[in-house]
């Protein structure tokens, strides 16, 4: 079964704190892609990162970093030195590469991050 | 490069009516996917269109349908609206819908059913 679980429903931090958003996924495919999207109050989903199942290298982009571990089926997202503008809902998503799954992203329930000044 | 556009942005309908939502993908993108977002069910995949053909479909009743035109613009239709259809409907475009390609999302259409 395909499933993405974001166990943290809401997280509240104070500005400049580091915060990690957890994502656990389930898939039977050996080739798949994992994504993180940000949804600000405006509603539009903003792409943050894509990772394929064969690349377990961690990635850092500015204050954002991602930790992909196939052994635990996790793809966690860390924001370092959080800022108020980071307040949003964050979604982890899975896309399977097998035929018949075109255009389909399986989303987790989302984590609402509130960064207080 | 213009992003994905969706019209209308807000819509209010009553139960039993039908509604049509429109999505214009990024120029050059041939795949359009639709998602429904509700507080209870989260983001759920409705269907995907590529070259005017539905290639993939989520687990939604037949009241939900869509189509794609030769210019890749897509419409989705919901007939016999129910209160539970109130949601944010998001459309996403990608080059070919493959798992490798990033999906770019539009701002959504917020549908309220009274």
């Amino acid at each position: 079964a395909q499933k993405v679980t974001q166990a943290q429903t809401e997280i509240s931090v104070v500005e400049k704190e580091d915060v990690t958003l957890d994502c656990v996924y389930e898939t039977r495919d050996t080739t798949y892609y994992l994504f993180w999207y940000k949804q600000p109050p405006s509603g539009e989903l903003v792409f943050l990162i894509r990772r394929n199942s064969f690349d377990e290298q961690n990635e850092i982009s500015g204050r954002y970093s991602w930790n992909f571990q196939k052994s635990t089926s996790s793809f966690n997202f860390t924001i370092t030195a959080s800022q108020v503008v980071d307040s949003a809902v964050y979604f982890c998503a899975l896309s399977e590469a097998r035929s018949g799954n075109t255009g389909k992203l399986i989303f987790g329930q989302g984590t609402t991050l509130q960064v207080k000044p | 490069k213009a992003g994905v556009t969706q019209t209308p942005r807000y819509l209010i309908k009553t139960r039993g009516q039908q509604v049509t939502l429109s999505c214009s993908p990024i120029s050059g993108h041939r795949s359009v996917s639709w998602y429904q977002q509700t507080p209870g069910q989260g983001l759920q995949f409705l269907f995907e269109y590529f070259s005017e053909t539905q290639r993939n479909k989520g687990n939604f009743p037949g009241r939900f349908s869509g189509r794609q035109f030769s210019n890749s613009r897509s419409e989705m239709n919901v007939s016999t609206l129910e209160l539970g259809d109130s949601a944010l409907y998001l459309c996403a475009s990608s080059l070919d819908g493959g798992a490798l390609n990033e999906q770019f999302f539009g701002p959504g259409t917020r549908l309220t059913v009274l």
Side-chain angles (χ1 to χ4, degrees):
Chain A
Q2 326 141 335
K3 189 178 178 182
V4 176
T5 301
Q6 294 179 254
Q8 305 149 309
T9 307
E10 291 183 28
I11 300 177
S12 181
V13 299
V14 176
E15 209 171 17
K16 296 184 184 176
E17 282 186 26
D18 298 347
V19 58
T20 296
L21 310 182
D22 297 333
C23 172
V24 174
Y25 62 93
E26 293 176 34
T27 177
R28 285 179 290 190
D29 280 21
T30 55
T31 304
Y32 53 89
Y33 296 83
L34 296 165
F35 302 79
W36 276 95
Y37 282 87
K38 174 182 180 179
Q39 187 177 42
S42 60
E44 189 169 335
L45 284 168
V46 178
F47 168 83
L48 294 177
I49 190 173
R50 174 185 57 234
R51 241 341 173 218
N52 75 57
S53 51
F54 300 107
D55 183 2
E56 286 193 71
Q57 267 195 325
N58 292 332
E59 182 155 340
I60 298 174
S61 176
R63 296 183 298 106
Y64 295 170
S65 63
W66 291 268
N67 180 262
F68 176 29
Q69 291 196 343
K70 283 178 79 170
S71 60
T72 55
S73 297
S74 65
F75 186 43
N76 297 336
F77 172 32
T78 298
I79 302 174
T80 303
S82 59
Q83 299 176 0
V84 173
V85 293
D86 296 327
S87 298
V89 183
Y90 290 86
F91 291 94
C92 179
L94 165 71
S95 178
E96 296 173 327
R98 59 188 154 111
S99 173
N101 268 327
T102 53
K104 180 179 180 180
L105 286 170
I106 301 152
F107 285 91
Q109 286 296 97
T111 297
T112 300
L113 174 64
Q114 184 183 38
V115 182
K116 298 177 182 175
Chain B
K1 200 175 191 180
V4 178
T5 58
Q6 292 187 246
T7 57
R9 293 293 312 279
Y10 302 91
L11 210 46
I12 299 175
K13 292 284 187 179
T14 56
R15 277 183 300 174
Q17 287 187 309
Q18 74 164 16
V19 67
T20 298
L21 313 181
S22 180
C23 172
S24 291
I26 291 171
S27 177
H29 285 190
R30 296 169 66 190
S31 168
V32 173
S33 295
W34 288 88
Y35 294 83
Q36 181 196 64
Q37 184 176 19
T38 60
Q41 300 299 316
L43 275 156
Q44 292 186 291
F45 173 75
L46 279 156
F47 30 63
E48 185 241 1
Y49 286 87
F50 179 82
S51 292
E52 302 177 64
T53 302
Q54 185 183 90
R55 284 200 305 192
N56 201 359
K57 189 176 186 307
N59 191 24
F60 278 82
R63 299 186 298 106
F64 292 82
S65 63
R67 59 177 175 168
Q68 187 180 35
F69 302 94
S70 58
N71 61 358
S72 294
R73 189 177 71 85
S74 177
E75 289 181 347
M76 69 163 280
N77 184 277
V78 188
S79 62
T80 320
L81 283 166
E82 300 177 0
L83 295 179
D85 297 333
S86 294
L88 178 66
Y89 290 89
L90 292 163
C91 124
S93 80
S94 71
L95 282 171
D96 65 7
L100 175 62
N101 296 132
E102 177 189 340
Q103 291 193 28
F104 294 83
F105 283 81
T109 294
R110 186 164 295 281
L111 171 65
T112 302
V113 182
L114 303 176

